[in-house]
């Protein structure tokens, strides 16, 4: 599946990648009022990961305390919800960065780290390595 | 009146309720347009997509499309905190997304021109073959 090909190749990074994808999906479903529960077929529909692989990651997240299991279904645990709050903060800060699209294409901030820092300072924000690398 | 030598074999008879075969990229185009109109959330996008003709659109497909558009840096998202309920993810179109929309609309306009030519020829043909209801 395409989603599997896109995921990192090393098992450790792969686990982190799917943890993030699955947790984000659970928060998204909650936010949209589409329920709190997921199962492997739902992961397949939403994330494009085959059900057997999805189940493996769901079980792993359950073992790690992010999810609680109820039969075939999985739900965010209190720890998983707390982790989500941290991820919200991280994602929100992404928007505060000057990234592609925030500045015009000819802005000097795309050229070097120093220029990125100067640009961010001018906008009253802090710069990041990602921005400096653009 | 019929055209000599033209045996339509009923092939020109229109189906009762023709189903529009929308291009595979139609969902993405809808999302680009809706987000160009303003930031939005998943469920609102789903409802609007259905109103634009994708009546069978389901949340899974929408979610995957939005994630793909984020990876392609056409769309940015953030979690919007709410007093009343859980945080919701808000999607915004960025500069690359606006450009992608302009390109897609240009392509659609060309397709519209070609289809109009084809339909005119079809109407001419049907006019020659004889009276029939227009699909």
């Amino acid at each position: 599946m395409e989603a599997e090909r896109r995921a990192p190749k090393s098992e450790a990074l792969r686990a982190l990648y799917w943890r993030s994808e699955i947790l984000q999906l659970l928060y998204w479903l909650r936010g949209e009022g589409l329920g709190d529960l997921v199962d492997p077929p739902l992961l397949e529909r939403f994330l494009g990961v085959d059900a057997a692989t999805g189940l493996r990651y769901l079980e792993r997240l359950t073992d790690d305390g992010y999810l609680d299991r109820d039969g075939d279904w999985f739900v965010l645990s209190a720890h998983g919800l707390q982790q989500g709050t941290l991820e919200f903060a991280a994602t929100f800060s992404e928007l505060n960065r000057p990234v592609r699209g925030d500045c015009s294409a000819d802005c000097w901030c795309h050229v070097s780290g120093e220029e990125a820092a100067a640009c961010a300072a001018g906008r009253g924000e802090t710069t990041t390595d990602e921005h400096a690398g653009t | 009146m019929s055209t000599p030598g033209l045996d339509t074999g009923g092939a020109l008879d229109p189906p009762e309720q023709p189903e529009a075969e929308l291009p595979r990229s139609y969902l993405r185009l809808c999302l680009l347009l809706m987000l160009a109109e303003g930031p939005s959330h998943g469920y609102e996008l789903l409802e609007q997509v259905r109103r634009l003709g994708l009546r069978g659109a389901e949340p899974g497909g929408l979610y995957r499309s939005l994630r793909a558009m984020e990876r392609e840096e056409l769309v940015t998202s953030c979690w919007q905190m709410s007093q009343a309920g859980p945080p919701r993810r808000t999607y915004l179109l960025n500069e690359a997304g606006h450009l992608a929309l302009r390109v897609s609309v240009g392509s659609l306009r060309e397709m519209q021109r070609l289809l109009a030519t084809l339909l005119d020829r079809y109407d001419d043909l049907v006019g020659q073959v004889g009276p029939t209801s227009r699909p």
Side-chain angles (χ1 to χ4, degrees):
Chain A
M1 284 193 153
E2 194 215 325
E4 284 290 292
R5 285 197 298 276
R6 198 172 47 241
K9 298 296 171 277
S10 82
E11 184 51 34
L13 285 179
R14 214 175 173 77
L16 285 174
Y17 173 83
W18 284 113
R19 185 189 79 182
S20 174
E21 288 293 313
I22 292 169
L23 292 180
Q24 284 188 61
L25 171 60
L26 277 156
Y27 306 139
W28 190 85
L29 291 169
R30 277 170 53 86
E32 298 303 331
L34 294 171
D36 288 338
L37 300 167
V38 297
D39 67 350
L42 187 144
L43 283 195
E44 191 164 334
R45 285 204 309 280
F46 278 77
L47 299 180
V49 58
D50 74 79
T53 307
L55 177 60
R56 210 169 66 236
Y57 288 118
L58 286 171
E59 288 174 335
R60 191 164 180 165
L61 285 172
T62 305
D63 292 343
D64 293 342
Y66 293 104
L67 304 181
D68 290 328
R69 185 171 188 168
D70 182 7
D72 292 336
W73 294 91
F74 297 81
V75 63
L76 277 172
S77 66
H79 173 63
L81 272 171
Q82 186 187 28
Q83 186 66 25
T85 306
L86 298 174
E87 294 217 5
F88 298 157
T91 310
F92 185 73
S93 69
E94 293 265 333
L95 277 189
N96 290 336
R97 301 175 186 178
V99 292
R100 184 186 307 180
D102 285 353
C103 295
S104 61
D106 59 355
C107 179
W108 285 100
C109 70
H110 299 288
V111 175
S112 72
E114 287 77 13
E115 291 296 341
C119 175
R123 299 152 63 103
E125 297 163 353
T126 55
T127 187
T128 67
D129 290 339
E130 179 183 313
H131 184 245
T134 56
Chain B
M1 178 181 166
S2 64
T3 304
L6 180 61
D7 178 13
T8 64
L12 295 180
D13 297 338
E16 291 291 321
Q17 282 278 315
E19 279 279 318
E21 287 184 29
L22 296 167
R24 290 185 65 187
S25 58
Y26 188 68
L27 172 59
R28 170 176 293 231
L29 185 58
C30 289
L31 293 173
L32 288 172
L33 173 64
M34 291 181 299
L35 292 174
E37 291 169 347
S40 192
H41 302 110
Y43 199 79
E44 289 158 2
L45 291 169
L46 188 63
E47 287 190 327
Q48 289 189 59
V49 159
R50 287 173 175 161
R51 282 202 290 272
L52 282 172
L54 285 173
R55 287 185 290 275
E58 48 89 30
L62 174 78
Y63 186 84
R64 286 168 71 164
S65 288
L66 288 169
R67 291 292 287 154
M69 290 165 74
E70 279 189 279
R71 280 193 297 273
E72 294 166 34
E73 300 185 0
L74 303 174
V75 164
T76 310
S77 73
C78 66
W79 291 99
Q80 188 179 47
M81 300 304 172
S82 161
Q83 300 289 339
R88 297 178 79 190
R89 200 159 194 162
T90 302
Y91 295 91
L92 307 93
L93 200 65
N94 62 26
E95 194 178 324
H98 282 282
L99 177 62
L101 176 61
R102 281 199 296 276
V103 170
S104 296
V105 166
S107 171
L108 267 189
R109 287 198 198 286
E110 176 61 9
M111 188 183 295
Q112 183 186 36
R113 190 184 64 78
L114 295 171
L115 286 176
T117 304
L118 185 144
L119 289 171
D120 284 347
R121 286 181 62 167
Y122 174 83
D123 288 343
D124 288 347
L125 176 67
V126 170
Q128 288 172 15
V129 170
T132 179
S133 59
R134 184 176 170 157

